Amino acid sequence: MSHEKRLAQLRRYFDTSGKRYTVEREHMIDVIAEMEGPFTIVDLYKAAKAKGFVHAASTLYRNLFIFIDAGFITERHLSGGKLEYEANTGNNNFLLCVGCGTLKRVPLSKEFKAMQEELCKKHKLLPVSYHYQQKGYCSKCQKKIAK
Ligand SMILES: [Zn+2]
């Protein structure tokens, strides 16, 4: 996604949510887009600080929900209460083993995509992002259950 598209997505969010648009928040969408793979809030803070966009960690922590709500970041709840973040790339489908904590990224089927589009259309929702995470027990952990 280009900077212009990210900016349009951010402006749409501010126009509709009543939250205040700031240049710092605009800069953050590009920092987020450059994050590769899963990251922690500390990783994001370090990346933003290195570019001179954020000075206080508390400011970023307070504003994190904006980037989650606006569809730039997915927040994942892992086992043990840990949180992990990732820039939304359109491939946010995961299987999480609640036994050993293994997180596996899985591709989205055409049927699933079609179902999402149909749901959004039916309920007149302009899609921004989504997050799918199925929790369960992996094959190794299932063997422990059987004993
Ligand atoms: Zn497992």
Side-chain angles (χ1 to χ4, degrees):
M1 192 192 287
S2 69
H3 172 76
E4 284 69 30
K5 282 188 178 175
R6 287 194 290 274
L7 195 57
Q9 185 176 333
L10 187 68
R11 285 190 188 280
R12 191 166 53 228
Y13 172 75
F14 285 115
D15 287 348
T16 56
S17 70
K19 307 246 178 348
R20 196 166 55 91
Y21 179 90
T22 65
V23 176
E24 290 77 19
R25 288 171 175 175
E26 181 185 324
H27 287 151
M28 278 308 298
I29 58 171
D30 294 324
V31 176
I32 292 163
E34 288 173 12
M35 298 298 288
E36 286 180 20
F39 56 84
T40 65
I41 183 76
V42 176
D43 297 331
L44 184 62
Y45 170 66
K46 284 179 182 171
K49 193 177 166 111
K51 294 198 174 221
F53 295 154
V54 171
H55 302 290
S58 59
T59 308
L60 178 63
Y61 295 0
R62 274 198 315 272
N63 289 300
L64 187 65
F65 79 94
I66 286 174
F67 304 107
I68 295 169
D69 286 354
F72 293 100
I73 295 176
T74 291
E75 180 181 67
R76 276 195 294 277
H77 294 252
L78 305 180
S79 63
K82 287 183 211 152
L83 289 174
E84 176 178 87
Y85 301 91
E86 189 165 358
N88 281 328
T89 58
N91 184 14
N92 292 313
N93 316 296
F94 294 89
L95 303 178
L96 174 68
C97 175
V98 295
C100 65
T102 301
L103 188 70
K104 189 176 182 183
R105 191 184 296 266
V106 291
L108 188 64
S109 71
K110 282 180 188 171
E111 292 80 11
F112 199 107
K113 279 183 187 173
M115 189 188 78
Q116 282 182 310
E117 285 172 16
E118 190 187 310
L119 267 174
C120 288
K121 204 173 172 179
K122 184 179 174 185
H123 296 279
K124 296 179 179 155
L125 181 77
L126 176 64
V128 174
S129 68
Y130 78 95
H131 174 228
Y132 176 76
Q133 182 172 293
Q134 175 69 55
K135 291 181 180 179
Y137 292 95
C138 72
S139 56
K140 278 184 187 173
C141 290
Q142 286 176 50
K143 285 175 190 163
K144 291 177 190 170
I145 297 168
K147 286 177 185 171

